[in-house]
Amino acid sequence: MKRLIYLSLSFFATSAFAQDVSEERVKTVISTLASDEMKGREIGTPENDKAAEYIAKLFKENNLEYCTGKSYLVPFDYQGKTAYNVCGIKKGKSEKILGFSGHFDHVGTTEKSGDNIYNGADDDASGITTLVGIADYFKNKKPEFSMLFMAFNGEEKGMLGSIAISEDKKLDPIYKNLSALFNFEMVATESEFGENTVFITGDEFSDLDELFNQNAVNGLKIHPDPYAKQQLFYRSDNVSFVKKKIIAHSISTADMSKIKHYHQVNDDMSIVNSENMTQIINNFAKTLEKLSTKNFNPKYNDKVKFN
């Protein structure tokens, strides 16, 4: 009898642990996007298309539904060429939706000798890896909220992809139910607040961080933006959805006071803290499991500027 109980408990513990995203998975996704073969993922290049197709493959692995049409790839025009955002959705118990996004493009290569590839591991392969990790976590679950996953293109050229997809009328039925968007922007390093912490841009404009922190698990915490003077809230893809009056903030760990890899060729796997990333992804996902339309309905205040 004791052995039977032990085996039952062991099975339960294994099953509970099995839902966590592994550090190996995190390393695989971010290293693939930030590999030299991707040549910095600059929009308009074959490597950028390859990155979009890789993300679409990951969305398919997680059994996400198409946001529109018959593909995860959502086209838009870039200098007379077709470029792609990537979009997938998971139906939850509610029609209300939480969104998770990041941008997959970076700044390409340089003509200089030596290491001439801007791999963009932190900026923003880390953000894409985070949203993929959340999709991984919920693959075999039915969350309270439905979930929208968007990988934006062309951020480095002026947030072109997020502007295009935010204005895509075919996605308006999704956007009308979008309660909040978490845009992950540079989460590969430990924040100035320590491990298992992030900061939110524009914290003074809504109560999203307060509501999230009230439900946060395992010590995860969203801190106020310590770099508010840099107005990061208006400088990332989240602003494309702010203009639609959708709650949208960027989530980051980048220590802007001493960062040395931003738009440099050393933004590669050498600066990635995959253990911390994995911890944040799993604790973020576990917090999301606790959120419902009853305890998470963030609102803007009158301080935010929509235009």
Side-chain angles (χ1 to χ4, degrees), residues 43 76 78 85 153-155 157-165 237:
I43 187 173
F76 67 99
Y78 173 67
N85 292 302
N153 203 346
E155 190 271 352
K157 302 293 186 182
M159 299 177 284
L160 302 180
S162 63
I163 291 171
I165 201 168
D237 286 309

Side-chain angles (χ1 to χ4, degrees), residues 59 64-76 84-91 148-150 164-175:
F59 282 10
L64 300 183
E65 298 180 20
Y66 302 139
C67 292
T68 180
K70 297 181 179 180
S71 175
Y72 298 112
L73 301 176
V74 182
F76 67 99
Y84 298 96
N85 292 302
V86 193
C87 190
I89 194 163
K90 180 181 181 67
K91 296 296 177 60
L148 174 68
F149 298 90
M150 293 187 290
I165 201 168
S166 70
E167 295 176 350
D168 191 329
K169 296 300 182 183
K170 295 189 294 293
L171 275 77
D172 278 350
I174 292 175
Y175 297 150

